[in-house]
């Protein structure tokens, strides 16, 4: 290989994989090298050996990295734009490597050998239940966050809500208390939605919480409370920013007034730098461990940009996990299975959203997968953020929904939209508490489990932990349920059936599995009855 010249602040990585066949796609080879260079170049405060260590962690055992570094001292974000020209030149100085097909989720085909952090994703799957929160100044209007801007609510009125936003009833500990009562282990806050408003004091924007009457840093307070309450802090962050003048296409009212413009506006590359600056704050300064991106469906975004963003986020924190909306794989689902092509598209877990006001088949949300996934469901069937007249799921519907989700191996992320004052609607909070009581009674079959072997849609589903199987009965006829198993093998190995209170139940073996009588089960009146099979 001819060694390229090494101007200051240039990183050139040689990625090798001798056992694989060379890729014939030169464009892909160029892009892979570009992602490695750009992601490292634009990661601030990572100098010398620290950067090398991070690159090594990213690749784990799958990548062999020969890294030639001339980084010098750490750069601040203030001079990152000045590096753009140097980065562009670095793109042309591609290193040599051999590309192999990904064997598990992570960076996709443009970040070969960069895979999901194994402990982080296992911990994520073990937590099973989380709280999503859609909130911001838009709650004052009571219409959908971001989407109502320039539509139901005139842009000027919407954009002025931040001047009134003063959620004096916001109490981070009260949020944590509700999460504990609801059996939730992690929180996903809309730190920034499509409308561009930041719920933290961002060094890179005046359109943020510090510029409201409230002034208190909501993200910082939630991060501190989460640490004290053993809750994992994650954040929703929109790739889209309809308020920012450098983002295109302009939509939902176009740019707001708080950002300066010049003769080069709009400048999407400058916006991308701004976006990465804000994500850097959330990951490095606030320690977000799960990144829930959104907006990849916008025509501005593509596979190349998404792959680079994934690599950049993993450089900031190799242990962070990122949903598959960093990339555009959701637009190219397998038509037969509705599954994401993780071998091509970047992401650590599949995000399956149940859209409000959509009539869609349950298979769009449910369905087992070989990879981690999350069902993202809102308790209000009309919208995600605060709604004065919500159409709520009942507590029974939420419990059934959760059981079906975990039976298919997914996490369950249930959304609430706080009121403008920062408190939760009492009725919605009670639904969450009822869910939590059910989870507490059946926690052994919820936390730390994976998809189980037994499912009969609408009748029962199951989870698995070690040698134990947990069957969740959704409906029973005449107080009995027939569980179809591998009759000649599995059913013979079942030695006991135990309910959630530890009572042993009698069961009969049938030609297709086992039959369990539920009449004497104390929890038989619950919407879902859990039985442990050993």
């Amino acid at each position: 290989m001819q060694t390229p010249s090494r101007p200051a602040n240039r990183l050139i990585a040689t990625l090798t994989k001798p056992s694989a066949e060379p890729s014939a796609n030169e464009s892909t080879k160029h892009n892979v090298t570009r992602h490695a260079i750009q992601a490292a170049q634009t990661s601030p405060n990572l100098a010398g050996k620290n950067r090398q260590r991070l690159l090594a962690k990213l690749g784990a055992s799958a990548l062999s990295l020969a890294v030639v570094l001339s980084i010098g001292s750490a750069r601040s974000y203030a001079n990152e734009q000045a590096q753009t020209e140097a980065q562009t030149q670095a793109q042309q100085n591609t290193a040599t490597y051999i590309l192999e097909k990904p064997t598990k989720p992570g960076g996709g085909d443009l970040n070969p050998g960069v895979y999901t952090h194994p402990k982080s994703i296992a911990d994520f799957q073990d937590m099973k239940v989380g709280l999503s929160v859609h909130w911001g100044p838009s709650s004052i209007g009571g219409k959908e966050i971001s989407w109502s801007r320039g539509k139901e609510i005139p842009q000027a009125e919407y954009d002025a809500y931040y001047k009134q936003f003063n959620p004096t009833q916001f109490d981070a500990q009260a949020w944590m208390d509700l999460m504990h009562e609801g059996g939730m282990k992690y929180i996903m806050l809309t730190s920034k939605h499509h409308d561009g408003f930041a719920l933290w004091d961002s060094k890179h924007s005046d359109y943020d919480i510090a510029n409201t009457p409230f002034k208190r840093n909501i993200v910082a307070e939630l991060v501190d409370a989460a640490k004290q309450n053993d809750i994992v802090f994650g954040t929703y962050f929109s790739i889209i920013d309809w308020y920012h003048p450098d983002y295109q296409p302009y939509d939902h009212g176009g740019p707001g007034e708080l950002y300066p413009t010049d003769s080069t506006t709009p400048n999407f590359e400058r916006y991308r730098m701004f976006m990465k600056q804000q994500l850097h704050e959330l990951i490095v300064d606030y320690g977000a461990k799960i990144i829930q991106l959104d907006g990849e469906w916008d025509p501005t975004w593509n596979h190349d940009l998404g792959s680079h963003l994934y690599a950049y986020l993993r450089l900031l924190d190799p242990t962070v996990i990122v949903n598959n909306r960093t990339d555009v794989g959701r637009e190219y689902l397998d038509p037969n299975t509705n599954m994401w092509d993780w071998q091509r598209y970047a992401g650590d877990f599949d995000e399956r959203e149940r859209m409000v006001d959509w009539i869609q088949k349950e298979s769009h949300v449910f369905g087992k997968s070989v990879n981690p996934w999350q069902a993202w469901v809102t308790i209000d069937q009309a919208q995600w953020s605060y709604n004065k007249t919500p159409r709520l799921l009942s507590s029974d519907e939420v419990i059934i929904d959760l059981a079906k989700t975990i039976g298919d191996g997914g996490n369950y992320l249930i959304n609430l939209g706080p009121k403008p004052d920062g408190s939760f609607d009492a009725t919605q909070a009670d639904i969450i508490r009822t869910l939590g009581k059910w989870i507490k009674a059946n926690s052994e079959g919820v936390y730390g489990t994976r998809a189980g072997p037994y499912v009969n849609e609408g009748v029962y589903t199951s989870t698995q932990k070690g040698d134990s199987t947990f069957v969740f009965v959704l409906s029973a006829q005449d107080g009995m349920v027939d569980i179809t198993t591998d009759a000649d093998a599995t059913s013979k190995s079942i030695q006991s059936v135990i309910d959630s209170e530890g009572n042993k139940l009698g069961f009969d073996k049938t030609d297709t599995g086992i039959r369990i009588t539920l009449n004497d089960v104390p929890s038989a009146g619950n919407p879902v009855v859990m039985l442990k099979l050993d």
Side-chain angles (χ1 to χ4, degrees):
M1 178 185 80
Q2 182 178 358
T3 304
S5 60
R6 293 186 295 164
N9 296 330
R10 176 170 297 173
L11 174 147
I12 298 170
T14 301
L15 308 178
T16 60
K17 200 66 179 177
S19 61
E21 292 298 321
S23 168
N25 188 331
E26 292 300 320
S27 175
T28 298
K29 290 168 67 177
H30 171 83
N31 284 336
V32 172
T33 307
R34 178 158 68 87
H35 294 317
I37 295 171
Q38 282 189 330
Q41 285 280 67
T42 58
S43 179
N45 304 324
L46 298 175
K49 292 182 179 180
N50 287 334
R51 190 184 301 264
Q52 190 172 5
R53 289 191 193 101
L54 283 178
L55 287 167
K57 287 181 181 178
L58 268 177
S61 61
L63 274 179
S64 172
L65 292 171
V67 183
V68 181
L69 294 166
S70 179
I71 299 299
S73 61
R75 298 193 311 270
S76 70
Y77 262 118
N79 68 2
E80 287 229 21
Q81 184 59 33
Q83 300 297 323
T84 301
E85 185 176 344
Q87 292 173 21
T88 302
Q89 179 62 39
Q91 295 172 20
Q92 301 171 8
N93 297 328
T94 56
T96 60
Y97 59 87
I98 299 173
L99 180 64
E100 74 165 359
K101 192 172 184 179
T103 59
K104 48 192 172 183
D109 62 359
L110 298 187
N111 295 301
V114 180
Y115 297 132
T116 301
H117 190 274
K119 184 178 186 305
S120 295
I121 200 65
D123 290 346
F124 172 72
Q125 290 181 282
D126 287 347
M127 291 189 292
K128 273 296 176 286
V129 188
L131 175 67
S132 166
V133 177
H134 279 66
W135 190 43
S138 67
S139 59
I140 293 172
K143 302 297 183 182
E144 187 64 285
I145 189 171
S146 301
W147 293 99
S148 61
R149 181 179 186 259
K151 301 296 182 181
E152 295 94 334
I153 302 173
Q155 177 202 349
E157 178 184 345
Y158 187 102
D159 288 355
Y161 284 150
Y162 80 94
K163 299 176 183 179
Q164 309 168 46
F165 191 52
N166 192 22
T168 55
Q169 298 303 305
F170 168 71
D171 181 345
Q173 184 56 52
W175 285 28
M176 297 298 113
D177 292 343
L178 180 62
M179 290 186 66
H180 281 304
E181 290 179 282
M184 298 163 171
K185 301 293 187 180
Y186 62 103
I187 185 171
M188 303 299 297
L189 174 72
T190 53
S191 298
K192 194 189 86 165
H193 207 264
H194 311 322
D195 62 9
F197 183 84
L199 285 172
W200 74 99
D201 183 4
S202 175
K203 295 187 291 288
H204 308 286
S205 173
D206 288 331
Y207 193 43
D208 67 4
I209 195 65
N211 207 15
T212 68
F214 190 60
K215 298 193 181 300
R216 285 163 45 194
N217 190 328
I218 288 169
V219 168
E221 292 186 24
L222 282 171
V223 166
D224 290 344
K227 289 177 181 176
Q228 294 169 16
N229 288 269
D230 198 25
I231 296 289
V232 173
F233 179 79
T235 184
Y236 168 106
F237 185 93
S238 175
I239 292 166
I240 292 171
D241 190 332
W242 289 323
Y243 191 94
H244 201 292
D246 278 333
Y247 185 85
Q248 281 198 304
Y250 291 162
D251 204 348
H252 284 263
E257 62 182 18
L258 291 180
Y259 291 106
T261 59
D262 58 28
S263 60
T264 66
T265 305
N267 184 326
F268 188 68
E269 285 305 306
R270 187 164 58 199
Y271 172 76
R272 286 180 62 217
M273 185 65 68
F274 162 79
M275 176 182 67
K276 290 195 289 184
Q277 289 168 345
Q278 288 201 317
L279 283 164
H280 174 271
E281 289 180 319
L282 291 169
I283 294 175
V284 176
D285 298 346
Y286 295 100
K289 302 306 294 183
I290 310 169
I291 303 298
Q292 185 185 34
L293 295 170
D294 194 15
E296 88 296 349
W297 36 263
D298 202 62
T300 303
W301 206 244
N302 58 45
H303 179 39
D304 189 39
L305 297 175
S307 298
H308 166 65
L309 182 59
Y310 176 88
Y312 173 74
L313 299 179
R314 293 292 305 283
L315 276 169
L316 293 180
D317 180 356
T319 68
V320 77
I321 58 173
V322 185
N323 70 347
N324 63 343
R325 294 190 185 190
T326 184
D327 206 342
V328 295
R330 190 162 59 123
E331 299 299 312
Y332 304 96
L333 299 178
D334 184 306
N336 298 316
T337 64
N338 287 315
M339 295 297 175
W340 143 63
D341 182 1
W342 52 269
Q343 290 188 314
R344 180 178 183 192
Y345 299 104
D348 298 315
F349 63 92
D350 187 5
E351 189 85 72
R352 301 184 192 174
E353 176 181 354
R354 179 175 294 123
M355 303 290 287
V356 293
D357 280 338
W358 272 28
I359 300 174
Q360 62 176 1
K361 295 179 181 178
E362 287 188 340
S363 60
H364 289 184
V365 174
F366 300 116
K368 292 182 180 181
S369 172
V370 295
N371 297 314
W373 66 277
Q374 173 174 264
W376 189 21
V377 180
T378 180
I379 201 169
D380 176 9
Q381 298 175 77
Q383 66 185 49
W384 293 87
S385 58
Y386 175 66
N387 183 0
K388 296 176 183 177
T389 57
R391 299 200 313 271
L392 301 178
L393 293 170
S394 69
S395 57
D396 283 3
E397 287 175 317
V398 173
I399 291 168
I400 292 169
D401 206 33
L402 179 144
K404 293 168 74 172
T405 298
I406 64 175
D408 281 345
N411 279 28
Y412 194 69
L413 184 67
I414 185 73
N415 177 78
L416 296 178
K419 295 189 291 185
D421 67 5
S423 64
F424 290 108
D425 173 80
T427 301
Q428 297 181 34
D430 284 343
I431 293 172
I432 296 300
R433 293 186 182 100
T434 301
L435 170 67
K437 290 177 182 176
W438 182 89
I439 292 174
K440 183 178 181 180
N442 300 281
S443 59
E444 188 181 6
V446 176
Y447 302 122
T449 62
R450 300 295 183 265
Y454 311 136
V455 60
N456 183 351
E457 185 60 44
V459 182
Y460 59 82
T461 187
S462 63
T463 61
Q464 189 81 29
K465 185 192 297 181
D467 294 331
S468 296
T469 301
F470 302 88
V471 172
F472 296 91
V473 181
L474 309 174
S475 66
Q477 289 188 338
D478 300 324
M480 293 183 294
V481 61
D482 288 333
I483 309 296
T484 301
T485 66
D486 300 323
D488 293 334
T490 307
S491 63
K492 291 180 182 178
S493 67
I494 295 173
Q495 302 298 315
S496 67
V497 176
I498 304 171
D499 70 13
S500 60
E501 297 186 10
N503 303 305
K504 281 195 172 184
L505 306 180
F507 65 95
D508 298 314
K509 294 184 178 180
T510 67
D511 292 339
T512 58
I514 61 173
R515 174 172 293 167
I516 305 169
T517 301
L518 302 178
N519 291 335
D520 297 327
V521 176
S523 59
N526 289 339
V528 178
V529 176
M530 188 191 79
L531 304 173
K532 180 180 179 181
L533 277 56
D534 282 325

